[in-house]
Amino acid sequence: MSMLQDENTTNVIIGDLMIPSEKVAHVQLNNPLEHALLVLVKSGYSAVPVLDSSYKLVGTIGKTVILNQILGLERFEMERLSDMRVEEIMERDIPHLTREDNFLNGLKTVINAPFVCVSDKEGYFDGIVTRRAILKHVQRGIYTSLHNEQV
Ligand code: 4BW
């Protein structure tokens, strides 16, 4: 049986693979860039979700866009870190999934992005699915189908 014919692999939904919101580092729309950079550097992640004050998902922000924004002609203009807010430079056009979406929707999305945000029908943030979680699930499926071929 091929991996895609194995229902244990394809029947998994995004909610089963998700890191829940309470474990995800995030920043808020009105945070100064200084705070966002602090969260990114302290957490070690290159990008994190951006939420509004009611915890709805609005986009993502990464280290590179912040560093580009404060880069002047000859130096980093550090004062811009406190003058500017996350909402001015964040990425708003991001893919997102719901908990009920299937595994293949997740697989397609993480081809071009290291993680995908998950929100509910009203737009409230539920968590993220990482490329790592998707690849681990693919690996599990490959081992299972190899095992099934041998027995
Ligand atoms: O702090 C880390 N802990 C661990 N265990 N792994 C880490 C850490 N930082 C990076 N990694 C590894 C992971 O394998 O490097 C990969 C790329 O990290 P990134 O993108 O470029 O910061 C990580 O791959 P991943 O687990 O598939 O995660 C993909 C992306 O999802 C990360 C980051 O942008 C986001 N992310 C993951 N967990 C997160 C998170 N964002 C906020 N909160 C979390 N808990």
Side-chain angles (χ1 to χ4, degrees):
M1 189 197 294
S2 90
M3 191 188 133
L4 286 178
Q5 288 165 315
D6 177 8
E7 293 188 347
N8 290 331
T9 303
T10 48
N11 278 356
V12 159
I13 58 166
I14 288 302
D16 298 331
L17 300 174
M18 182 179 84
I19 300 177
S21 56
E22 61 272 18
K23 292 189 178 162
V24 177
H26 73 271
V27 297
Q28 295 206 324
L29 272 180
N30 61 354
N31 287 151
L33 295 189
E34 189 172 25
H35 177 77
L37 193 56
L38 201 75
V39 169
L40 288 161
V41 171
K42 281 271 184 192
S43 68
Y45 297 119
S46 44
V48 293
V50 180
L51 310 183
D52 72 10
S53 55
S54 61
Y55 290 89
K56 283 190 174 173
L57 173 68
V58 281
T60 60
I61 191 162
K63 281 176 193 153
T64 309
V65 73
I66 297 178
L67 294 177
N68 267 324
Q69 193 62 44
I70 65 167
L71 185 60
L73 280 180
E74 288 179 357
R75 63 177 187 95
F76 284 110
E77 295 169 355
M78 305 303 271
E79 59 282 5
R80 287 202 216 162
L81 283 175
S82 49
D83 294 344
M84 295 185 70
R85 303 205 169 262
V86 165
E87 61 193 324
E88 296 175 62
I89 64 163
M90 58 179 278
E91 177 65 56
R92 288 176 187 266
D93 184 18
I94 55 157
H96 56 95
L97 299 173
T98 65
R99 281 170 188 266
E100 295 76 30
D101 274 311
N102 65 38
F103 163 72
L104 286 176
N105 296 130
L107 177 61
K108 261 188 263 167
T109 317
V110 300
I111 288 172
N112 291 319
F115 70 98
V116 56
C117 294
V118 183
S119 54
D120 70 12
K121 287 193 187 84
E122 281 87 45
Y124 290 102
F125 180 63
D126 271 340
I128 62 172
V129 172
T130 63
R131 194 177 272 164
R132 174 184 159 86
I134 296 282
L135 285 175
K136 278 178 83 174
H137 188 67
V138 169
Q139 183 192 40
R140 212 174 300 135
I142 291 171
Y143 282 133
T144 307
S145 68
L146 285 176
H147 174 78
N148 289 342
E149 272 172 29
Q150 283 163 6
V151 290

